[in-house]
Amino acid sequence: MTDTCRNNRFWAIVPAAGVGKRMGVDVPKQYLQVLGKPVLQHTLERLLAIDVLAGVVVALGSEDGYWSDLPCATHPKIRVAPGGKERADSVLSALTSLENVAEPDDWVLVHDAARLCITISDVQKLIDRLRNDEVGGILALPVTDTLKGAEAGEIVETIDRSRIWRALTPQMFRFRMLKHALTDAAERKLIVTDEASALELRGLRPKIVEGRPDNIKITRPEDLPLAAFYLERQCYE
Ligand code: C5P
């Protein structure tokens, strides 16, 4: 490992500017309660327990009226940035806010606010596997179901699942490379739903690190009790 590698710092970015339409409630999903705490508070507590992180940037919606009530809103390692129209815009805004403090080769771990069951062991595994990598990579899960391609309600093919992975977060990339890739995708008006896709569009090949299946994203109402179940179980591991 070179000296530069050893000195690279690690930052986290938490896009939390979504409205969570699929939940069917007025409160954005990152502020719904699980085991007596908002989803985002759970997520941030877990990230703040990772000592190696130099800081955590949370991207917030312009009309967010809930953030200041969160206990960790005043934590010294946390800073906020304005969110954007799409997830990628929120991440780019958070990256821009780090421009004067992050070095080009520092690592950035982007983690969805709605993935509150993230474990320290999974984040540590991602960091350990990728910290000497040129490009970086993501936590992901192999699919277990048989996959079908369908048209107009009829199956037209069975897809080879041996090469299919579900992309999770955190996704870990170098500051400058990620910022360039997201800026480029935005300028070309290409939709990217995760950070890895932005790097893939530049011909790069992010690594896959297998993550835990309990790293779920709150998307629908039934995910809330499932997250509570996982959080309680993780306490006893
Ligand atoms: O809606 P979805 O679950 O894909 O959102 C993933 C993450 O991106 C969530 O944490 C959400 O708050 C965030 N997001 C954002 N800015 C947007 C849209 C989503 O920060 N414009």
Side-chain angles (χ1 to χ4, degrees):
M1 203 193 301
T2 65
D3 278 333
T4 334
C5 278
R6 256 200 295 273
N7 291 333
N8 288 149
R9 284 182 298 174
F10 295 84
W11 304 90
I13 285 180
V14 178
V19 287
K21 272 183 244 146
R22 285 168 290 191
M23 291 299 288
V25 287
D26 289 339
V27 179
K29 62 182 177 180
Q30 57 275 25
Y31 293 111
L32 293 174
Q33 299 279 319
V34 176
L35 299 178
K37 266 192 264 185
V39 166
L40 183 55
Q41 175 72 22
H42 281 285
T43 305
L44 292 175
E45 279 177 13
R46 283 170 175 233
L47 293 178
L48 289 167
I50 298 161
D51 291 338
V52 74
L53 290 179
V56 180
V57 187
V58 187
L60 297 174
S62 57
E63 292 180 6
D64 187 316
Y66 302 92
W67 168 253
S68 54
D69 291 335
L70 242 55
C72 64
T74 52
H75 191 284
K77 274 196 179 177
I78 290 188
R79 47 176 83 203
V80 297
K85 191 163 169 283
E86 305 293 338
R87 182 185 183 284
D89 302 317
S90 299
V91 174
L92 196 48
S93 159
L95 284 168
T96 304
S97 80
L98 283 175
E99 196 74 65
N100 294 328
V101 282
E103 296 294 328
D105 284 335
D106 279 358
W107 287 106
V108 178
L109 283 81
V110 182
H111 183 64
D112 288 333
R115 290 189 192 271
L116 69 168
C117 302
I118 182 65
T119 55
I120 297 174
S121 62
D122 251 11
V123 179
Q124 203 56 58
K125 181 177 174 186
L126 186 72
I127 290 176
D128 291 345
R129 294 276 174 87
L130 300 178
R131 64 187 307 156
N132 295 319
D133 195 84
E134 283 298 307
V135 176
I138 72 170
L139 285 179
L141 266 185
V143 294
T144 49
D145 296 319
T146 298
L147 299 176
K148 302 292 187 189
E151 282 165 20
E154 293 178 349
I155 294 170
V156 291
E157 61 176 333
T158 298
I159 296 161
D160 174 14
R161 72 176 175 205
S162 65
R163 54 185 297 277
I164 307 288
W165 291 74
R166 289 168 48 203
L168 310 176
T169 71
Q171 303 205 351
M172 173 172 154
F173 296 104
R174 294 193 190 267
F175 178 77
R176 179 175 44 192
M177 213 184 267
L178 179 58
K179 190 153 183 281
H180 278 171
L182 287 173
T183 306
D184 191 38
E187 283 170 3
R188 292 162 64 197
K189 302 208 181 327
L190 299 171
I191 306 262
V192 288
T193 52
D194 71 346
E195 290 59 56
S197 357
L199 283 108
E200 290 158 45
L201 286 169
R202 288 172 74 92
L204 296 162
R205 291 186 146 199
K207 305 280 181 310
I208 290 274
V209 175
E210 185 164 348
R212 293 169 51 127
D214 54 5
N215 183 8
I216 60 166
K217 182 171 73 167
I218 301 291
T219 308
R220 299 189 180 83
E222 55 270 30
D223 296 327
L224 292 167
L226 184 59
F229 170 79
Y230 283 141
L231 290 174
E232 279 184 321
R233 232 184 54 148
Q234 289 169 351
C235 292
Y236 299 104
E237 279 180 359

